[in-house]
Amino acid sequence: RKSPKPDGHELELETEHTVPWIAALTTYFSYAILMVFGTLRDAVFNVMCVVDPGRYRSPTPKGFAKLMNDFQDFYTRRLYHRIQDCFNRPISSAPGAWIDVIEREFANAEMSTMRHTGSHVTALNLSSYNYLGFAESDLEMRDEVVSSMRRLGVGNASSRTELGTTDVHHELEARVARFLGKEAAIVFGMGFATNSTVLPTLVGSGGLIISDELNHSSIVTGARSSNARIKVFKHNCAKSLEEILRSSIAEGQPRTKLPWKKILVVVEGLYSMEGEVCDLKNIVQVCKKYKAYVYVDEAHSIGALGATGRGVLEYCGVEPVDVDVMMGTFTKSFGSVGGYIASTKEVIDYIRRMSPGSIYACSMSPGCVTQASLALRMIAGEDGTDKGKKKLDQLRRNSNLFRAGLQRMGCEVLGHTDSPVIPVMLYNPAKIPAFSRECLARKLAVVVVGFPATPLIKSRVRFCLSAAHTEEDLISALKVIDEVAERVMIKYKWTGRPNVAPSAVVQRLSQEYFVDVVGEWDATH
Amino acid sequence: MAETSKASVGTAELGFLLDPTVEQLVLALLSRIDVHFFVEAVLVIVIGYLLFQKRYKPLQGTEGLTEGEIDELCEQWTPDPLVTKEAMESVVKRSERVVTSHQGCRVIINGKESINFASFDFLNMLNEESIKDECEQTIRKYGVGSCGPRGFYGTIDVHLDLERELADFYGAEGGIIYSYDAATASSIIPAFLKRGDLVIRDEAISYSLQAGIDLSRAYVKEFRHNDMADLESILEIVKQADAKNQKPLNRRFIVVEGLYQNTGMICPLQEVVELAKQYKFRVLLDESMALGTLGETGKGSLEHWGIPASDITIRCGSMSNSLASIGGFAVADGPIIAHQRLSSTGYVFSASLPPFNATAAIAALRIIRQDKERISKLRENSTLAHEVLRDMTLNLDKNACDTLWLMGDEISPVKHLHLQQGKGTRQADDETLQKICDVVLDEFNVSLVVADYSPLQKIAPRPSIRITINSAQTREDIEKCAAAIGEAARKVFARAA
């Protein structure tokens, strides 16, 4: 399927991603083995509880229900704990291009806890959402952050509507609105809470929220907190959305059959587990046709997609007026924390007086506001330099170079060109820790994701690119990944020779650059 | 078949089967017809009828509608605007105050300095230079944001330090930090409670707890604010219901706050814990307000009541009040903390706390431990404020159109002033109180706020002016505040009359 886009980029919308049968078979088999052995160990434990109650005792007091769900508890103890060294790895540096990963080891035989060994590994960071590199670059920004923190306090100890609104908050809000081409904006101290506290204010009972099936947990939480009905459409599929919209409007509300008060369609700009760009042009068209409101979560796409970093709207050629509510976060491209909502002045005023995130939550820390504001100023070019533009170009080059490299070596790469998030399929549970540990041993910090964040058999490794990475960093990383991928056997798409990079990739990169860089990589093979 | 035939009919008679005529066949058949045959035939017919009858189905969804009709329905449907006029009018209006400097008990609002009785910075941490120095070092070393969730390299060593400090401070096995106060309780509760579980909560708990309970989809029952008899009667009903229908155990929690933000009252925790033990409930305690304000050394409700840590299953709270930083926390036994690290949405799916906010919280915790003076000063100020505010309310003209009454515990640093009568609507009462606050700010340079509630909160307390006490306020400040409120109230009530 291809979506026509006159001014924006053409997305190659994949038909459903299929799992190779051999991978599916071995993956299910692996999980079955893990389950069987886990159950056996649990059975032994239960026997021991009876035999030697002094040493092994059941954690739940008598007369109380178990605090944790049985299966979840089992999964944690018998599956997760064995590979927990691959997750929650602590670092002792800024999350820049290179990070110091604190070394850990299992502290007990059950592998339930870990302790620090006292040393650390300096590794290339292919995992933080540091798209434009603001985590560690432009150190002069930190002076302003510090002065703002000193003037206005570390926190505010007050909510936005009480005494937590400062001049820098207003400045950032004005800047966000200007950057996005919207009338007004409001900022919150946390991206997750932005979605979870704003969605219930926009749609209530009698309303309908239609959400992409792969939307982020914060959107799910927000939708569930509202009294609205929730329906889900097939991931990134405008056709499925249209079907649901048509039938929903025709049916009306369940039981009463009253017409819906309003319908809000919620999508993300860039799906961070898939690396897929939203098919926004078509989705907006459908929503317009059926008079549904559009809410776009640009957590990952703002400052990462589009020629001037204006996110998925710019990338897909959608006008800001066509999206009713724009949401985004400052955590990723801006090197700060928090979230924003941009919309018409009326909607923003309403959210201010209605959203728990504005009324109860402590307002965004002034230091973080200043960081977001300065980063945004640079991205928008309001600082009078082209540093922001250069960062954006660098990010795009890095992303496409890396994606092409992974594709050429035969890895199964998900997602779209230009996405700074690049997932690669691992499938088998044993490959999750294997890939992660082998990479860390070669000084590469990567993120591996498995169930329950992904479907059971679709475990993957996810690379996040940054403008702070240099070409040398990435080439050496590709070499390492090539070696590791060979060892853990994840070259599912290997055809016997370097796979040809999609022509679209070559076109978008400057020709010589691509040939140079990838040529060098090829030459070593 | 052949065998049974043999038994009943002679072999010779069956000779015709080798070369039957129609007549012979029919006759043979008829000779074998008896009651059984009829019964079987009727059964076959009934089964056939049941199998092949056209089932009645109510029209579902868009079934029965033609594409054209659906088009028409879609055409005709007009949605409400995203924000309706009625919705816009229903919210309580507020004029926004822009702060240009935050210095603990003093604050500059719209360019004018005033004494701060509005922010929750009880221990004057916002004004602490040593904290700011440490934060600066952290910013220089780690930058501002952590650029990722805790699971994916967003765990920075200062986070682990803070978690250890919190656990140590509270005498708990483990601690966990969240990056925002509003997402703390509302993530913790759904991580443990699911549909079918049971929550009994105080009616005055804050929104974040309420939202968490709603999200968990557990059964919920409210008891009257701090009313232990009511709580017990509810527990008794549950017990009786249990005795009647034998169901598998479900998870049960009593949810309370150590010190209620919405009322300024202290929870009678000892009784709650006793009842919980007796009726086999777990207790979730929100320490957002109690941290640093209750107990001799500021360690919160447990210290205040002398309750062992093991009696409370989960303690959670906000780091944006006494610690004057950002974020939330929970302390509990190891497995309960570990469970949150995998199942608590606000923890797993959110970027972690900016490292410098963690540094600020660590520094504030250290100050609370070292500087006992602050806590005793806060206690002293709170008691004094209670006294002068109560006197002020008593001295208001009883014949004016309205008077104020004070709510809150004597030693609580959060106090609420409610309208005695009010005008009946939330909006009107809020406006009256705001007028008082405006006069207080404009004429007396004292900043106060009317406690703000979202219309999304199902049970919101009555409108009130909230007064928060800071350890750095002087006797004069507090007396000035009380006098200013009295004066402003007199003016506003006179005007209204």
Side-chain angles (χ1 to χ4, degrees):
Chain A
R1 288 182 290 141
K2 285 199 171 185
S3 61
K5 282 203 205 70
D7 40 0
H9 296 270
E10 193 159 295
L11 293 181
E12 286 157 27
L13 291 175
E14 288 170 34
T15 47
E16 208 144 317
H17 169 243
T18 49
V19 182
W21 69 269
I22 185 92
L25 200 72
T26 50
T27 307
Y28 280 124
F29 186 64
S30 310
Y31 276 108
I33 289 180
L34 285 167
M35 295 288 192
V36 168
F37 276 88
T39 316
L40 275 176
R41 294 178 71 176
D42 267 9
V44 173
F45 177 81
N46 287 339
V47 171
M48 291 310 282
C49 283
V50 180
V51 176
D52 191 359
R55 192 161 161 221
Y56 303 94
R57 67 193 159 86
S58 172
T60 312
K62 225 176 160 220
F64 286 85
K66 277 186 186 164
L67 203 47
M68 275 73 101
N69 168 315
D70 274 340
F71 174 73
Q72 217 171 6
D73 188 40
F74 174 82
Y75 183 85
T76 308
R77 281 182 295 107
R78 300 300 180 206
L79 278 77
Y80 171 77
H81 277 168
R82 306 179 57 169
I83 58 167
Q84 63 166 322
D85 59 313
C86 304
F87 307 96
N88 297 306
R89 281 185 187 146
I91 63 171
S92 58
S93 66
W98 289 83
I99 48 175
D100 297 336
V101 182
I102 297 174
E103 272 190 334
R104 296 181 298 172
E105 59 190 10
F106 286 105
N108 53 11
E110 301 101 84
M111 298 174 129
S112 62
T113 50
M114 303 202 71
R115 64 165 164 256
H116 298 180
T117 59
S119 58
H120 64 77
V121 191
T122 304
L124 182 68
N125 180 6
L126 285 172
S127 23
S128 293
Y129 306 131
N130 174 30
Y131 298 139
L132 294 182
F134 283 110
E136 215 176 14
S137 65
D138 307 283
L139 298 181
E140 68 281 359
M141 281 186 183
R142 291 185 182 170
D143 297 333
E144 279 191 62
V145 171
V146 167
S147 79
S148 157
M149 183 265 295
R150 284 193 178 276
R151 179 169 68 94
L152 297 166
V154 179
N156 276 309
S158 195
S159 76
R160 280 300 301 277
T161 56
E162 291 181 353
L163 213 58
T165 300
T166 69
D167 47 344
V168 288
H169 287 91
H170 272 187
E171 191 192 325
L172 177 60
E173 284 173 354
R175 191 162 270 158
V176 168
R178 198 160 60 231
F179 181 68
L180 296 172
K182 281 282 182 188
E183 268 175 39
I186 176 172
V187 298
F188 296 89
M190 182 200 200
F192 183 94
T194 309
N195 274 331
S196 71
T197 67
V198 167
L199 279 169
T201 66
L202 293 175
V203 196
S205 60
L208 174 66
I209 294 176
I210 304 183
S211 164
D212 187 289
E213 64 180 343
L214 295 183
N215 270 347
H216 189 249
S217 162
S218 56
I219 296 173
V220 177
T221 306
R224 281 169 56 99
S225 315
S226 73
N227 292 323
R229 284 262 159 185
I230 305 164
K231 290 189 183 181
V232 172
F233 70 95
K234 212 173 131 227
H235 172 55
N236 222 0
C237 177
K239 206 163 158 253
S240 154
L241 172 64
E242 180 165 11
E243 277 161 24
I244 290 179
L245 271 170
R246 278 175 71 85
S247 63
S248 304
I249 297 172
E251 279 169 43
Q253 296 183 34
R255 287 193 305 146
T256 60
K257 304 290 168 206
L258 288 169
W260 297 102
K261 283 186 182 156
K262 54 190 156 194
I263 298 178
L264 185 69
V265 174
V266 188
V267 291
E268 283 185 48
L270 178 65
Y271 293 86
S272 68
M273 280 293 165
E274 275 66 35
E276 285 175 9
V277 180
C278 178
D279 183 17
L280 195 62
K281 189 107 192 166
N282 287 325
I283 287 174
V284 162
Q285 249 169 22
V286 169
C287 291
K288 247 187 168 174
K289 187 171 164 200
Y290 292 95
K291 290 166 277 190
Y293 299 107
V294 189
Y295 182 109
V296 180
D297 175 342
E298 294 226 63
H300 287 269
S301 54
I302 192 72
L305 287 180
T308 62
R310 283 175 169 78
V312 70
L313 274 78
E314 185 185 24
Y315 187 81
C316 294
V318 174
E319 290 301 316
V321 281
D322 290 339
V323 172
D324 301 275
V325 186
M326 290 161 79
M327 180 270 170
T329 69
F330 300 120
T331 313
K332 281 95 189 181
S333 301
F334 302 83
S336 179
V337 75
Y340 67 79
I341 297 278
S343 186
T344 60
K345 188 164 181 309
E346 200 185 22
V347 171
I348 296 300
D349 282 346
Y350 182 67
I351 290 173
R352 260 183 224 290
R353 296 298 311 128
M354 188 82 174
S355 165
S358 151
I359 290 176
Y360 300 113
C362 181
S363 84
M364 189 170 163
S365 173
C368 301
V369 176
T370 304
Q371 167 69 31
S373 199
L374 292 173
L376 186 51
R377 189 174 70 179
M378 188 176 277
I379 297 169
E382 288 176 10
D383 61 342
T385 67
D386 62 346
K387 279 188 189 166
K389 178 90 180 92
K390 277 190 180 150
K391 277 173 184 285
L392 284 160
D393 292 345
Q394 180 74 35
L395 174 65
R396 186 152 318 122
R397 271 207 305 275
N398 285 351
S399 307
N400 290 341
L401 158 73
F402 206 73
R403 175 177 291 274
L406 290 169
Q407 278 168 343
R408 288 168 76 83
M409 69 177 74
C411 288
E412 193 172 349
V413 184
L414 299 190
H416 294 133
T417 312
D418 290 339
S419 152
V421 184
I422 306 175
V424 171
M425 296 310 290
L426 295 177
Y427 297 120
N428 301 66
K431 289 178 182 174
I432 300 173
F435 192 89
S436 178
R437 288 172 189 158
E438 292 290 313
C439 280
L440 190 65
R442 292 168 175 77
K443 302 203 184 320
L444 214 58
V446 297
V447 163
V448 282
V449 204
F451 181 77
T454 65
L456 191 66
I457 60 166
K458 292 191 181 179
S459 305
R460 59 198 71 171
V461 52
R462 192 183 62 175
F463 302 106
C464 290
L465 277 295
S466 162
H469 292 138
T470 63
E471 286 154 26
E472 294 78 56
D473 288 343
L474 297 182
I475 306 263
S476 62
L478 282 173
K479 282 177 191 158
V480 167
I481 291 167
D482 185 41
E483 196 184 320
V484 175
E486 194 78 57
R487 273 184 75 107
V488 300
M489 295 192 276
I490 57 160
K491 293 187 171 179
Y492 295 100
K493 292 275 162 99
W494 180 246
T495 51
R497 59 192 173 78
N499 296 356
V500 183
S503 60
V505 180
V506 184
Q507 277 165 19
R508 217 154 307 137
L509 288 164
S510 81
Q511 196 81 34
E512 314 91 88
Y513 174 87
F514 183 79
V515 172
D516 261 13
V517 166
V518 179
E520 190 196 317
W521 179 79
D522 268 356
T524 62
H525 288 71
Chain B
M1 186 71 186
E3 300 237 328
T4 49
S5 309
K6 245 183 226 163
S8 54
V9 197
T11 323
E13 287 173 55
L14 285 173
F16 73 89
L17 281 174
L18 296 172
D19 183 21
T21 61
V22 179
E23 258 170 78
Q24 280 172 324
L25 269 179
V26 171
L27 280 173
L29 209 67
L30 285 176
S31 72
R32 301 190 52 76
I33 282 176
D34 53 8
V35 185
H36 278 283
F37 179 84
F38 282 109
V39 173
E40 276 159 20
V42 167
L43 276 177
V44 167
I45 291 166
V46 168
I47 289 170
Y49 173 76
L50 286 176
L51 277 178
F52 296 106
Q53 71 161 335
K54 207 173 177 188
R55 254 173 246 152
Y56 169 73
K57 250 194 320 187
L59 281 182
Q60 262 181 355
T62 52
E63 216 175 280
L65 291 175
T66 63
E67 286 298 300
E69 283 168 327
I70 296 179
D71 281 339
E72 205 172 313
L73 281 167
C74 290
E75 194 92 354
Q76 280 171 2
W77 180 65
T78 37
D80 285 355
L82 205 49
V83 174
T84 57
K85 222 178 205 158
E86 300 88 69
M88 200 68 200
E89 276 161 12
S90 73
V91 297
V92 178
K93 311 268 173 314
R94 285 285 164 97
S95 57
E96 203 169 49
R97 294 172 170 184
V98 181
V99 174
T100 48
S101 168
H102 233 305
Q103 279 131 23
C105 73
R106 293 283 183 284
V107 61
I108 298 175
I109 299 172
N110 300 334
K112 208 168 91 173
E113 191 181 285
S114 58
I115 313 169
N116 185 1
F117 281 88
S119 39
F120 290 115
D121 173 28
F122 303 117
L123 299 173
N124 203 37
M125 296 290 179
L126 278 180
N127 202 22
E128 198 53 56
E129 281 305 315
S130 67
I131 296 183
K132 290 181 182 173
D133 292 341
E134 283 184 50
C135 286
E136 176 171 352
Q137 281 175 15
T138 309
I139 292 175
R140 303 258 180 229
K141 183 174 178 202
Y142 297 100
V144 179
S146 60
C147 288
R150 287 290 296 269
F152 305 152
Y153 302 91
T155 302
I156 296 171
D157 46 8
V158 287
H159 292 140
L160 301 176
D161 293 344
L162 174 56
E163 284 173 350
R164 226 176 359 253
E165 288 285 325
L166 276 165
D168 192 35
F169 180 79
Y170 271 120
E173 227 176 86
I176 181 170
I177 53 169
Y178 286 77
S179 49
Y180 208 38
D181 50 357
T184 306
S186 57
S187 300
I188 296 172
I189 297 175
F192 292 100
L193 290 163
K194 309 278 178 235
R195 203 180 285 277
D197 294 334
L198 175 62
V199 176
I200 298 184
R201 65 174 179 92
D202 191 291
E203 61 180 5
I205 57 170
S206 59
Y207 179 81
S208 179
L209 291 162
Q210 277 187 37
I213 295 168
D214 287 350
L215 268 173
S216 75
R217 306 288 196 253
Y219 294 117
V220 54
K221 196 91 190 126
E222 288 103 20
F223 62 93
R224 277 196 299 277
H225 182 42
N226 272 353
D227 185 342
M228 290 303 111
D230 195 29
L231 172 60
E232 187 164 13
S233 72
I234 291 173
L235 292 171
E236 196 54 46
I237 293 170
V238 172
K239 194 179 170 187
Q240 280 165 10
D242 276 352
K244 233 183 248 169
N245 33 18
Q246 297 285 329
K247 272 187 190 167
L249 285 171
N250 53 359
R251 283 171 285 248
R252 294 166 172 193
F253 269 90
I254 298 177
V255 177
V256 289
E257 276 178 62
L259 171 62
Y260 288 90
Q261 176 179 346
N262 291 345
T263 61
M265 302 298 280
I266 294 172
C267 171
L269 198 60
Q270 216 152 23
E271 291 167 60
V272 171
V273 166
E274 264 162 37
L275 286 173
K277 272 188 193 164
Q278 190 187 333
Y279 290 92
K280 301 235 186 287
F281 271 66
R282 293 181 169 100
V283 181
L284 186 139
L285 174 68
D286 188 306
E287 288 276 88
S288 298
M289 292 286 137
L291 165 62
T293 64
L294 290 188
E296 272 316 298
T297 58
K299 291 190 177 165
S301 311
L302 296 199
E303 191 185 24
H304 179 83
W305 292 103
I307 297 170
S310 57
D311 284 355
I312 308 285
T313 308
I314 304 171
R315 279 175 282 171
C316 63
S318 159
M319 299 196 286
S320 44
N321 305 327
S322 287
L323 302 183
S325 180
I326 299 285
F329 68 88
V331 292
D333 285 351
I336 295 177
I337 297 298
H339 179 72
Q340 290 177 48
R341 290 190 203 281
L342 284 175
S343 315
S344 186
T345 50
Y347 179 88
V348 176
F349 297 104
S350 160
S352 59
L353 186 70
F356 79 96
N357 288 134
T359 306
I362 295 174
L365 276 176
R366 197 180 52 233
I367 290 175
I368 292 178
R369 281 183 164 171
Q370 287 167 355
D371 192 356
K372 304 272 185 297
E373 196 104 315
R374 274 176 207 253
I375 294 151
S376 55
K377 189 81 209 318
L378 177 69
R379 182 80 33 88
E380 210 174 281
N381 280 354
S382 305
T383 322
L384 172 72
H386 196 83
E387 225 166 84
V388 291
L389 285 168
R390 192 187 50 216
D391 290 350
M392 179 274 293
T393 54
L394 293 177
N395 289 335
L396 284 176
D397 186 4
K398 294 280 170 300
N399 298 322
C401 69
D402 213 335
T403 50
L404 296 167
W405 62 278
L406 178 67
M407 190 175 190
D409 211 279
E410 199 179 329
I411 60 163
S412 151
V414 184
K415 323 232 175 245
H416 288 263
L417 283 171
H418 292 269
L419 287 174
Q420 189 73 266
Q421 278 131 23
K423 287 183 185 157
T425 70
R426 191 167 192 98
Q427 191 125 2
D429 289 355
D430 204 273
E431 262 167 39
T432 314
L433 293 169
Q434 271 185 67
K435 269 182 208 151
I436 298 177
C437 290
D438 289 344
V439 174
V440 168
L441 181 65
D442 294 342
E443 297 181 16
F444 303 94
N445 290 332
V446 171
S447 65
L448 293 170
V449 286
V450 179
D452 203 358
Y453 298 103
S454 163
L456 291 178
Q457 183 163 350
K458 278 175 205 142
I459 311 171
R462 289 179 51 190
S464 64
I465 296 177
R466 197 186 54 228
I467 298 139
T468 46
I469 311 301
N470 183 310
S471 64
Q473 285 153 353
T474 60
R475 174 172 267 277
E476 291 76 53
D477 289 342
I478 294 167
E479 280 168 354
K480 188 180 171 191
C481 170
I485 298 172
E487 199 57 40
R490 237 163 259 138
K491 269 190 192 175
V492 170
F493 294 148
R495 233 184 284 161

